[in-house]
Amino acid sequence: MSELRVVSSCRELVSVIADYRKQGRSIGLVPTMGALHAGHLSLVERSLAATDLTFVSIFVNPTQFAADEDLDQYPRPLEQDLEKLSRAGADCVFLPDVSEMYPGNCTTSIEPPQVSRRWEGESRPSHFGGVCTVVLKLLNLIPADVAFFGEKDFQQLAVIRQMVEDLNVATRIEGCPIVREPDGLAMSSRNVYLSETDREIALSLHRTLASVAEQVAQGETDSHLLMAEMRQKLIDSGVSRVDYAVIADPTTLEVVEEVEGTVVALLACQVGQVRLIDNCVIAR
Ligand code: PAF
């Protein structure tokens, strides 16, 4: 097990980074909200392979939760998280509290880019503003060479890529593949809230995406037909609500008329108490 350095204050973090920089070592950053699972650990692994030092941040960011969302209930198994990061070989974990990240006099926030407005942005209007603000703050505190984000949050990745480009942030953003449970459910910290019945229903997200990919492989290109079928399959399998089930351009996230080149199938559904998202990139 490597020695995991735990830093809680911005002041200490800045001096730790300065020391590492003097040694000329490259830095990777994996921003998380904790409750770490194999998906997060795959980002840590990727960072360990690509950079000299791997920083992980654990911060349940209040500004990306709406008032009626699960901020207070969000899982915070800190001891297990630190154990996992130690075992994985991460070098440093940044563990600020809310007052450290958002002191009382902090009134600046980021207006997220255009690509944030559709899909998740419609269901969660304040979400990406909070994500962009905290990610930019983290990248300012930890000016990593590369920052790693999971493709499970496909729109989040597109939003962050655009923000980093628009605001001339030097860090390269790397997207990493979705990690799934053996039965296909995309790993998520919120999966722990699923009842046994809901867990069965939740499998329909992955099955629906697999079926779209299969239909495209067999030559179907009419995206409106495919989108209607996606929605119907999800409803038939018992999800409580479909927020969106679309086939879109992977950069702009605008709906495409025809499946040509590379597209992304994106969906979000309510299953019992849990809102789940999943996606699949399809190349034709
Ligand atoms: O994906 C997440 O866990 C969060 O949105 C992030 C990127 C750590 C920002 O709080």
Side-chain angles (χ1 to χ4, degrees):
M1 236 193 265
S2 73
E3 189 64 49
L4 177 70
R5 184 163 186 172
V6 181
V7 175
S8 305
S9 81
C10 298
R11 183 192 274 258
E12 186 187 352
L13 184 64
V14 168
S15 92
V16 168
I17 298 276
D19 284 349
Y20 284 141
R21 280 289 182 214
K22 268 189 231 142
Q23 298 164 18
R25 305 217 260 167
S26 63
I27 293 177
L29 171 64
V30 179
T32 80
M33 297 205 301
L36 303 179
H37 51 65
H40 296 112
L41 297 178
S42 75
L43 305 181
V44 173
E45 242 171 66
R46 181 68 202 120
S47 174
L48 288 168
T51 63
D52 297 328
L53 290 160
T54 292
F55 280 65
V56 179
S57 60
I58 297 182
F59 179 61
V60 183
N61 173 36
T63 64
Q64 68 189 74
F65 288 77
D68 60 345
E69 291 183 346
D70 58 344
L71 174 62
D72 293 338
Q73 288 81 43
Y74 199 84
R76 291 167 170 85
L78 184 57
E79 238 175 78
Q80 287 104 302
D81 284 351
L82 294 180
E83 173 79 20
K84 286 175 189 170
L85 292 177
S86 245
R87 279 185 194 286
D91 296 282
C92 185
V93 58
F94 179 46
L95 208 59
D97 63 20
V98 174
S99 64
E100 190 66 22
M101 283 305 274
Y102 296 109
N105 59 353
C106 173
T107 53
T108 305
S109 60
I110 296 292
E111 172 70 23
Q114 176 81 27
V115 65
S116 70
R117 309 237 165 98
R118 309 302 302 270
W119 320 129
E120 285 303 289
E122 280 159 16
S123 303
R124 308 177 72 192
S126 58
H127 175 67
F128 284 124
V131 170
C132 284
T133 302
V134 82
V135 169
L136 187 61
K137 282 169 78 75
L138 290 168
L139 290 174
N140 284 333
L141 287 161
I142 306 172
D145 296 272
V146 194
F148 300 86
F149 295 86
E151 286 173 358
K152 154 119 185 322
D153 294 294
F154 196 89
Q155 188 174 10
Q156 169 172 279
L157 182 56
V159 166
I160 290 169
R161 282 192 201 286
Q162 190 65 52
M163 174 188 74
V164 159
E165 188 181 329
D166 291 350
L167 300 183
N168 306 94
V169 179
T171 302
R172 182 168 68 77
I173 303 300
E174 187 170 315
C176 301
I178 299 176
V179 177
R180 295 183 181 280
E181 302 282 359
D183 59 9
L185 182 68
M187 293 218 177
S188 161
S189 305
R190 290 187 170 100
N191 288 350
V192 293
Y193 302 144
L194 289 166
S195 70
E196 219 172 289
T197 319
D198 293 340
R199 177 97 184 39
E200 267 306 305
I201 296 172
L203 295 180
S204 65
L205 276 74
H206 173 56
R207 287 198 194 114
T208 299
L209 291 168
S211 148
V212 179
E214 178 60 31
Q215 281 173 278
V216 172
Q218 285 175 9
E220 183 57 71
T221 62
D222 181 341
S223 81
H224 288 280
L225 180 140
L226 291 165
M227 291 191 293
E229 285 187 12
M230 277 164 81
R231 184 172 283 274
Q232 197 54 52
K233 281 201 175 83
L234 293 164
I235 292 167
D236 291 347
S237 53
V239 307
S240 342
R241 191 184 72 233
V242 180
D243 282 346
Y244 56 84
V246 294
I247 299 182
D249 176 279
T251 308
T252 64
L253 304 191
E254 293 298 329
V255 163
V256 296
E257 299 298 316
E258 284 281 308
V259 179
E260 263 180 279
T262 302
V263 296
V264 59
L266 296 166
L267 45 84
C269 301
Q270 187 73 27
V271 179
Q273 301 304 304
V274 191
R275 187 171 176 280
L276 295 172
I277 59 173
D278 202 346
N279 70 80
C280 171
V281 174
I282 302 170
R284 196 171 168 271

